[in-house]
Each structure stands twice: as structure tokens, then as C-alpha cells.
Amino acid sequence: MSDAETAGASGCAGRFVWYELMTTDTAAARAFYGSVVGWRMHDAGMPGFEYTLLGTAAGDAGGLMEIPAEARAQGAQPGWIGYIAVDDVDAKTAAVSAAGGKVYREPADIPNVGRFSVVADPQGAVFSLFMGDGSGEMPDVPPGTPGHAGWRELHAGDWEAVFPFYAELFGWTKANSFDMGPMGTYQTFAVGGEPTGGMMTKPEGVPVPAWNYYFLVDGAEAALDRIKAAGGQVLNGPMQVPNDSWIVQGLDPQGAFFSLISHTR
């Protein structure tokens, strides 16, 4: 993580503040996302550890690394994970466990960055908890900036059953909801009054509950063409969503699921 992401969590507690791809081929993943999303990439400079920072001129947006051996031993496959800011990683990790969630990695320090843990909600969706060490400040990225996260979405086993877990843990509240017909209800959630993501009960074709992250691009159709040209697979889209944005969902060449969102088709 960059210095821009290492601020203490008190001003952004309960918000997703970082996005990380764990993959089996870091060089191939850098080439793919550099082409598709347009990220600038540079090494984080961690001694003895390869970690690539992904970002734009506005600041770093996420990171990329090889799947750690301990994660592979637990069956981890290529995929994105989001970091939620908290005021006390150890206390929140214990709260996850007490509420029926699972702890995949106990709280640990990242030198000169902060403290984190890897956990899952009671239905199995994995995410990370994070608190920075206070050595930097969060980047002030204007909403809608291409290359940065524009939405977060939980494909839950049962969103109504799991919502109280997140509400208790992070203070999330329900915002607007949308009737998707046979697919059920899409419930958005707010952090501090601002809608920032959504939840839905996963379709049958989605194998396990999981979080999904949308990165902003200029033009959904152009992004779809870049996905195909770079060797990825398009699963859905371009599709218009209720806020008049357009989304594309796909798999990168290593099999990691990802999503893109654009204000224009």
C-alpha cells in the first residue's frame, strides 16, 4: 500500500479504502489491467516482497501481489479483496469471530503501513480489516475519477440474513432498494449517510458468496473491447444499471472476477 493509504482509520472507519488483487501470474496481471483499466504501476519498495501499486495521477487505487503460500494452502484462487478501515483491527477481528464469521489471517503488522487481518462474514464472503499507522493521508480523489473504485457489491448467500452482521460491525445503514424481479431485491448500503455499495442474494450460477468491486473507466463498450483484446473473458455487459451508469463484468486471464463501471456506454 502507498503512503496515501496509510492514514489512521478514524476519519474513514467502515469504508472500503483499498483493493488488492492476489493472482498466480503478477506479470500477466499487470499487463492485463494496465491495458484494460489504464493503471500506472510501480513497485511498493517493500524489502524482500514484490507488491505492485496500481493507480492514476490522482493517487494509488489498489495493489497487486502473488497469492501467499498460506492462502494457497487454504484454497485461495486468483481474486480481488477489499480492505475496510477500522479503528481497532484486533477488536474488530474478534467481533467478526464472535458474530459467526471466520478469521483466515490473524491481525498482523505491515511495516511502515499499518495493521490488517483477513476475515469472512458468516456466509463466507472474504474481506480484510485495516488500520493505517498514521504515516500518510488518504488521497482526496474526486468521485467519478477513472481508475478508482466506483462501487462495491456483495453477492451474499442471503443478503437479508447477513446485513445485520455488517450493520453491527461497521455501522452501515440501508439506503435505496431496487426490485430485480426473479433475482430478488438489490439493497444499497450507506456509510455516514452516503450510499457506497450494494448487496444482493447471489444468483445460482455464482458458486460462493463474495464481494465484487467496480473500477471506473471511460466508456463501457471500449473497455469491453480492451478486455477481449487483452485475453480476458466478458461475462456480462455492457448493461445499464439504475443510476444510468453502464457496467461490464469479466474474468481476467488468471481467472479473477472483476467489474468495471462507466458513466457512458
Side-chain angles (χ1 to χ4, degrees):
M1 294 182 190
S2 70
D3 286 344
E5 297 292 340
T6 59
S10 59
C12 53
R15 298 179 181 275
F16 282 94
V17 294
W18 193 250
Y19 307 88
E20 185 174 271
L21 175 65
M22 292 193 292
T23 186
T24 53
D25 189 334
T26 56
R30 285 193 294 268
F32 177 80
Y33 288 100
S35 172
V36 171
V37 184
W39 279 321
R40 302 178 181 182
M41 304 185 184
H42 59 99
D43 185 76
M46 296 182 178
F49 182 71
E50 181 186 30
Y51 192 92
T52 300
L53 296 172
L54 316 170
T56 69
D60 292 327
L64 183 159
M65 61 181 285
E66 186 174 351
I67 301 174
E70 61 268 29
R72 290 199 303 270
Q74 297 183 68
Q77 299 295 317
W80 285 90
I81 187 169
Y83 285 66
I84 301 175
V86 296
D87 291 320
D88 187 327
V89 170
D90 295 71
K92 287 295 186 183
T93 301
V96 167
S97 183
K102 184 172 182 178
V103 178
Y104 283 101
R105 178 159 183 171
E106 295 288 346
D109 292 326
I110 309 171
N112 302 314
V113 175
R115 190 164 177 82
F116 81 109
S117 66
V118 181
V119 300
D121 69 27
Q123 297 180 1
V126 178
F127 58 95
S128 284
L129 302 172
F130 174 73
M131 182 176 179
D133 64 6
S135 64
E137 297 181 355
M138 297 297 296
D140 184 17
V141 179
T145 300
H148 292 261
W151 196 248
R152 307 109 198 118
E153 183 175 86
L154 176 62
H155 293 179
D158 179 344
W159 79 263
E160 290 182 277
V162 82
F163 194 100
F165 167 86
Y166 289 98
E168 177 66 24
L169 202 66
F170 303 120
W172 294 355
T173 57
K174 292 180 180 179
N176 297 332
S177 62
F178 303 92
D179 183 355
M180 300 189 296
M183 294 182 67
T185 299
Y186 189 92
Q187 178 65 57
T188 66
F189 62 86
V191 182
E194 175 190 355
T196 187
M199 296 185 184
M200 60 183 288
T201 296
K202 68 180 183 66
E204 291 185 5
V206 176
V208 295
W211 278 97
N212 173 33
Y213 307 104
Y214 290 80
F215 297 102
L216 286 151
V217 293
D218 283 327
E221 287 189 345
L224 182 150
D225 290 340
R226 294 196 298 272
I227 292 170
K228 292 179 178 179
Q233 180 182 353
V234 176
L235 300 179
N236 180 34
M239 181 177 76
Q240 193 169 25
V241 291
N243 69 349
D244 293 328
S245 293
W246 293 83
I247 64 170
V248 177
Q249 298 171 328
L251 296 175
D252 70 22
Q254 285 69 54
F257 181 74
F258 69 95
S259 294
L260 306 175
I261 186 168
S262 174
H263 298 308
T264 62
R265 178 162 185 166

